[in-house]
Amino acid sequence: MIVRHLEDIVGTDHDIQTPTWNSRRLLLKDANMGFSMHDTLIHAGTETEMCYANHLEAVYCVEGTGSIKNLEDGSEYEIRPGTLYALTNHERHILIGKTQMRMICVFNPPVTGREVHDETGAYPAELEVST
Ligand code: 9YT
C-alpha cells in the first residue's frame, strides 16, 4: 500500500513547473498501478495547447473555472468544479484557465515522472527515469 500527502510532493522533483501549469505527481509508473495520478494547477489567464498522442487522460476539476476547446471539431466546454473530461481519442485541445484551476489528472499508460509537453503537445511514449 502507498500512502502519500500532497505536502510530500510540493517543492520536490515530482512537482513539475511550466509557465502555464504545475503538476504535482502523486502516483507514477513505478507504483505499478497501470495509471499515474497528478494534482495539477492550471494558472489563471493561461491557454495550453496539448495533444497526448501516447496517452489517454481523464481530468476532474475540483477548484476554479475555465474551458476546454476540442481542436478536432471546434467544440468548447465550460469547466467548473465537478466537471470531468476524458480524452478518449487523443484529441488535440486547448485548456483555458479563467481562474486558477485545480485538476486531478489520470494518465494511462502512467507517466514516469518528469514529462513536459514536447513541440507537438505530447508526452513521450516513455521517459527514462534516472534514479
Ligand atoms: C489538465 C492538463 O492536461 N494539464 C497539463 C498537465 C498534465 N495534466 C499533467 O502532467 O499533470
Side-chain angles (χ1 to χ4, degrees):
M1 186 166 84
I2 296 169
V3 179
R4 288 187 183 135
H5 193 280
L6 183 60
E7 289 169 359
D8 303 330
I9 309 292
V10 170
T12 71
D13 64 354
H14 287 180
D15 181 356
I16 310 300
Q17 321 256 352
T18 80
T20 58
W21 53 263
N22 182 8
S23 177
R24 290 83 62 91
R25 301 201 164 147
L26 290 156
L27 208 52
L28 291 164
K29 184 178 185 221
D30 63 0
N32 291 318
M33 296 289 287
F35 58 87
S36 59
M37 181 175 285
H38 320 168
D39 181 324
T40 298
L41 298 174
I42 306 296
H43 303 322
T46 61
E47 296 194 4
T48 309
E49 182 171 333
M50 298 170 260
C51 183
Y52 292 113
N54 304 307
H55 298 84
L56 298 172
E57 186 196 24
V59 178
Y60 183 64
C61 176
V62 293
E63 291 174 13
T65 58
S67 57
I68 181 169
K69 187 166 188 181
N70 178 351
L71 295 178
E72 307 296 338
D73 63 8
S75 57
E76 195 161 353
Y77 304 88
E78 293 297 313
I79 297 176
R80 59 190 170 92
T83 303
L84 167 102
Y85 66 85
L87 300 164
T88 56
N89 285 302
H90 308 276
E91 293 91 341
R92 179 167 290 279
H93 60 288
I94 299 179
L95 188 58
I96 300 154
K98 187 173 172 193
T99 66
Q100 174 174 278
M101 295 193 292
R102 185 169 174 207
M103 322 289 265
I104 308 305
C105 310
V106 174
F107 277 81
N108 169 21
V111 308
T112 59
R114 303 289 307 161
E115 287 90 342
V116 293
H117 300 117
D118 67 15
E119 62 287 349
T120 70
Y123 291 163
E126 181 143 336
L127 196 66
E128 289 296 317
V129 203
S130 56
T131 50

